[in-house]
Every structure is written in structure tokens, then in C-alpha cells.
Amino acid sequence: MKTLLVPSLIASTLVLAGCGAPDQSAMSCFNPNIYQDGNEYLMVELADNQPTNYLFTTLQTGNKPQSTGKDPLPLGKELQRTWLVKSGEEGMAISQTLAIDAENKNFALQSGEQDFLSSKIKREADGAPQLIDFNFANKGQSRSSNFSYLTESTLDNDPPQHVTLDFKQTTTFHGIESLTTPAGTFSTCHMELKTEVKNAEYGKRHQLTVNTWYAQQLGIPVQLSVLFEAEPSPDQYQLIQAKVDDKTFMPTQADIEKLQLAEALNFAKSSGSTL
């Protein structure tokens, strides 16, 4: 079940953010224009200054607006590819489509598809979709919501299985923090997303806590911390390189050698990076 839930939930928290809001608010980390062809970022999980997993994401403009009964919302698309260093193979590819609500400072996950080895998982919003919410004016504010997705999973040539997954999530804005990564030093919005997942068919509950630090104005996810259920410690990812509009962020040659990042950079290049 962890394989099905965690990558999709992580991916849905890694939408990007931005501009035109008070400097100390989470709204400063919402960028409605981030989904543009050519934007990308690479994050790496490090343990003892050595890479353990890579996460490369490309961002694109959606094909058509999403109707909401009012004015259509523009769409953004993202594709994430991961590389599992310990096993030496590509882990999975995740594609997602999101509606961009600039007025309410959020992204709404409409649908997603995940390919993992010989399995494929698709999900569609069943009613109100999951919101990636930046509409917080003050540190310490939080908001809870509920949503459901219809999920279709296929393994090898077996018939597809259909499950409805029900979620409860709480988003908390922990304030503005400065972080330094191999890609540079950034002023960030610290957002925490606590999600409880109930598999409606089997009655199983799963909990996931994801902390993401988004760079102000740029909206790049600078750091990511993922804690699944009762695991003793979270997985930690840091930004290695990024391209947002005309701005480029790269590690120094000293960090590439010290942190053994050459293979991660080559993985991003082979996955379509233009850096």
C-alpha cells in the first residue's frame, strides 16, 4: 500500500509557488505562472553526504482550461521521474494534471498516473479534488479538508483493480525560513501537509506527513521531508539544480564532487533536463 500512496502524495505536494503577496505570508510562495514549458528541478535524497534517491520534475502548460462552472481555470502538468540509487534502476514515473486557481492561491490535483516497474496506477478526483493550499496570511495558520480519488491499479497482465481512496488532510504554514542547499540559499515558506488515507474497500488507514520548503517568489521546492506512518525518521530531499523561467540554479563543482552528484545530474539530463 505504501508504494501506491506515498509517491503520488509526495508528487502532489511538490507543485510550485510565488509572487505579488506580503513577504511573510504563505501567499508569497504561490506562483500561478510556474507551469511553463522548460521549467524543471532536481532534488536528491542524501544520507551521510551521499545520494540515495533522485527526483527530477519537469513542468508544462496544460492543454485546455478546467471548467468550474464559472470562468475556466488554466491547467498545469508535471512529470516526475525517480531513480533508486541502491537498486540501480529507475523507480517510477508520475504524471499529474492540476487546475491553477490564482484567485484563491491554490492548485487542485485533477488526475494522475504512476508507472512503477510492471504496475500502473491511475487516479481521478471523485468530487472536490486535493488542494495544495497557499492561502495563509500568518504563521501558525492551518486548514483541513477532505477529498476522494477513484484509483485503478494494474499489475502485469492482470485485470485492473478499482479502489476509492478517501483522504483527510491538514495544511499548516510554519512561517518563513532561510535554507541553504547545493543549489543556493533561499528564503522559504515552510508548509506542512498531514494526510490520513483510508482505503474505502479494506478499511485500512495510513498517515503521511510531508514538510516542504518553497522558495519565495521563485516557488521552487528547496527541501522536502517525508515521514510515512510510524517510521523512525523522515526521508529528506534537497534541491540540487533548477530552471524557473530565465533563472538557473546549479551546484558548485566542489559540491558536485563532495556530495557525489554527477550521477544525479546525468540522470536529470537523460530524463530531459536542458541544464
Side-chain angles (χ1 to χ4, degrees):
M1 188 66 177
K2 179 179 177 180
T3 299
L4 185 154
L5 295 175
V6 173
S8 296
L9 289 174
I10 293 174
S12 64
T13 67
L14 286 179
V15 295
L16 299 181
C19 51
D23 286 348
Q24 298 301 308
S25 77
M27 292 178 281
S28 67
C29 286
F30 173 79
N31 183 357
N33 302 313
I34 196 66
Y35 286 97
Q36 302 294 329
D37 296 347
N39 287 350
E40 63 176 73
Y41 62 90
L42 171 67
M43 304 188 82
V44 171
E45 181 184 11
L46 295 170
D48 298 324
N49 281 341
Q50 293 188 358
T52 57
N53 288 313
Y54 315 146
L55 173 65
F56 176 67
T57 303
T58 55
L59 303 154
Q60 304 171 7
T61 303
N63 294 328
K64 60 181 180 179
Q66 172 69 30
S67 176
T68 61
K70 300 179 181 180
D71 294 332
L73 294 177
L75 294 183
K77 297 188 72 176
E78 62 183 54
L79 175 62
Q80 293 188 358
R81 299 179 180 88
T82 61
W83 184 268
L84 308 178
V85 176
K86 291 180 180 179
S87 60
E89 62 184 13
E90 188 172 351
M92 63 192 70
I94 300 173
S95 60
Q96 299 193 125
T97 300
L98 306 101
I100 304 165
D101 189 344
E103 180 179 356
N104 294 302
K105 304 295 189 295
N106 66 54
F107 301 93
L109 179 61
Q110 303 294 313
S111 62
E113 185 170 317
Q114 173 183 320
D115 288 299
F116 178 72
L117 300 178
S118 59
S119 67
K120 177 175 289 189
I121 299 170
K122 299 179 181 180
R123 65 171 181 161
E124 296 280 346
D126 183 20
Q130 179 185 13
L131 296 182
I132 310 303
D133 191 0
F134 293 89
N135 197 6
F136 299 96
N138 300 308
K139 176 181 177 180
Q141 288 184 321
S142 64
R143 187 175 297 117
S144 296
S145 61
N146 296 282
F147 55 95
S148 297
Y149 283 91
L150 301 176
T151 302
E152 177 186 284
S153 58
T154 305
L155 178 62
D156 296 323
N157 296 319
D158 295 341
Q161 296 184 358
H162 298 87
V163 176
T164 297
L165 297 176
D166 297 322
F167 301 79
K168 178 182 179 181
Q169 77 173 22
T170 300
T171 304
T172 303
F173 171 47
H174 288 295
I176 305 299
E177 301 175 14
S178 179
L179 288 179
T180 297
T181 75
T185 299
F186 303 87
S187 178
T188 70
C189 299
H190 178 187
M191 309 297 298
E192 179 185 69
L193 189 67
K194 289 188 175 182
T195 307
E196 182 180 87
V197 188
K198 179 182 178 182
N199 183 318
E201 182 176 352
Y202 302 109
K204 298 179 180 178
R205 290 186 178 274
H206 304 267
Q207 292 184 337
L208 180 72
T209 300
V210 178
N211 284 271
T212 309
W213 289 258
Y214 298 93
Q216 285 190 301
Q217 308 307 320
L218 298 170
I220 308 164
V222 170
Q223 185 167 288
L224 174 69
S225 172
V226 182
L227 181 63
F228 185 79
E229 294 191 313
E231 291 185 356
S233 60
D235 297 331
Q236 302 272 5
Y237 290 80
Q238 287 191 335
L239 183 70
I240 301 302
Q241 69 175 24
K243 180 181 179 183
V244 182
D245 299 328
D246 295 327
K247 301 179 178 67
T248 300
F249 304 87
M250 299 289 292
T252 64
Q253 186 59 41
D255 275 341
I256 292 174
E257 295 174 359
K258 176 182 177 181
L259 302 175
Q260 303 178 41
L261 298 177
E263 186 175 300
L265 297 173
N266 288 335
F267 168 68
K269 181 72 71 173
S270 67
S271 299
S273 174
T274 60
L275 297 178

